Amino acid sequence: MDEKNFYLDTIEQIVPAQREQIMTAFYEFLELEHLYESAAEIVKTQLGIYDNEFSMKFQRNPIHSIESRIKSPQSIVEKLQRKGFPVSAKSAEQHLTDIAGIRVICYYIDDIYAMAELLTMNEAFQVIKVKDYIKNPKPSGYRSLHLVLTVPVCMSTMTRRVPVEIQIRTIAMDFWAALEHQLHYKTSCEVPPSLKQELLECAETIALTDMRMQDIYQQIHELD
């Protein structure tokens, strides 16, 4: 049974007095999901266009892969409650900017900034927030470039501007972030300072490797 049918069957078991209100909220969240999925697809399509353009001009692709995700209704509700906001689809639109998320994995650090510049210069998109965790890594060692852009989604009756959170990082940065995330979620215990230091040292080693690989690429490119 898919998620939609599960919720519908659950709603049918609720007393009629509450059923209409819950059904309305349910369909509002479904519409919200469709809206944010559409926004994510617009950004992914534009990134694909840039990647193909680079391939034609420079005979290589700057993007290794693109992944997207939409927060589940449960995650949205939990975040709204955690932040003390009303729980509704309208409240989610007003207060959350990470319902739609895209992760862009690039080959080199320069590619990250090239893709970010193209996205932020795109006249259709509006920049809401930029956080550069590459130039200013988190204390844990985490590195990535984060953007929040609003994207125009043309519906049948109107155009809606929808925020999309975009994380752009190299393969090496993503490798470290994935393992660090798994390590933290595998245990409910506090990670000892010695292990935190080891993770930080690994992040710094990976960052140095990123810079060396980019330098090697530039040297090889100059040989052509």
Side-chain angles (χ1 to χ4, degrees):
M1 181 183 295
D2 61 31
E3 185 178 19
K4 178 180 177 181
N5 287 332
F6 172 78
Y7 284 124
L8 288 173
D9 287 348
T10 303
I11 289 168
E12 286 299 320
Q13 300 173 31
I14 298 172
V15 294
Q18 296 177 326
R19 192 178 300 159
E20 184 176 350
Q21 182 181 356
I22 294 174
M23 284 291 292
T24 299
F26 171 74
Y27 281 109
E28 284 177 351
F29 272 102
L30 280 183
E31 290 175 356
L32 188 74
E33 183 177 35
H34 169 69
L35 182 65
Y36 281 81
E37 283 178 346
S38 300
E41 285 301 316
I42 289 169
V43 176
K44 287 168 64 178
T45 298
Q46 188 61 63
L47 284 165
I49 292 170
Y50 292 146
D51 192 50
N52 289 335
E53 183 181 3
F54 261 67
S55 180
M56 291 178 61
K57 287 183 176 180
F58 308 113
Q59 288 73 56
R60 76 174 189 87
N61 296 88
I63 297 176
H64 174 264
S65 62
I66 303 173
E67 301 174 359
S68 64
R69 65 104 184 97
I70 306 297
K71 275 187 181 297
S72 68
Q74 180 180 351
S75 295
I76 292 172
V77 168
E78 288 173 352
K79 187 162 189 178
L80 288 172
Q81 290 175 331
R82 189 166 66 249
K83 289 182 171 290
F85 296 126
V87 176
S88 67
K90 184 177 181 180
S91 177
E93 282 192 78
Q94 291 175 337
H95 299 295
L96 304 184
T97 60
D98 62 346
I99 294 175
I102 293 177
R103 184 175 300 152
V104 185
I105 312 301
C106 294
Y107 287 96
Y108 301 104
I109 296 172
D110 282 353
D111 294 335
I112 293 174
Y113 290 105
M115 291 298 102
E117 183 177 11
L118 289 170
L119 287 171
T120 56
M121 289 177 61
N122 189 310
E123 294 181 356
F125 302 157
Q126 293 179 359
V127 182
I128 301 300
K129 187 186 300 182
V130 178
K131 287 190 176 181
D132 191 338
Y133 295 116
I134 299 172
K135 293 178 180 176
N136 301 290
K138 290 186 178 183
S140 64
Y142 173 86
R143 287 167 169 81
S144 185
L145 182 63
H146 290 197
L147 307 172
V148 177
L149 309 175
T150 63
V151 179
V153 179
C154 298
M155 312 297 285
S156 59
T157 57
M158 68 180 74
T159 297
R160 306 271 297 274
R161 296 207 68 89
V162 182
V164 178
E165 183 185 70
I166 306 163
Q167 299 176 358
I168 315 177
R169 60 182 68 153
T170 63
I171 299 170
M173 293 173 193
D174 190 58
F175 160 77
W176 183 91
L179 291 182
E180 192 264 352
H181 177 82
Q182 186 183 58
L183 287 170
H184 279 292
Y185 277 82
K186 280 289 184 181
T187 177
S188 58
C189 302
E190 177 66 24
V191 177
S194 59
L195 291 181
K196 288 182 179 180
Q197 181 61 32
E198 283 198 56
L199 282 169
L200 177 59
E201 290 173 5
C202 286
E204 291 170 350
T205 300
I206 287 171
L208 288 172
T209 302
D210 255 336
M211 289 187 283
R212 290 182 65 185
M213 292 301 293
Q214 181 165 281
D215 184 58
I216 291 169
Y217 163 74
Q218 290 172 343
Q219 291 184 56
I220 292 174
H221 184 66
E222 288 170 2
L223 296 174
D224 293 339

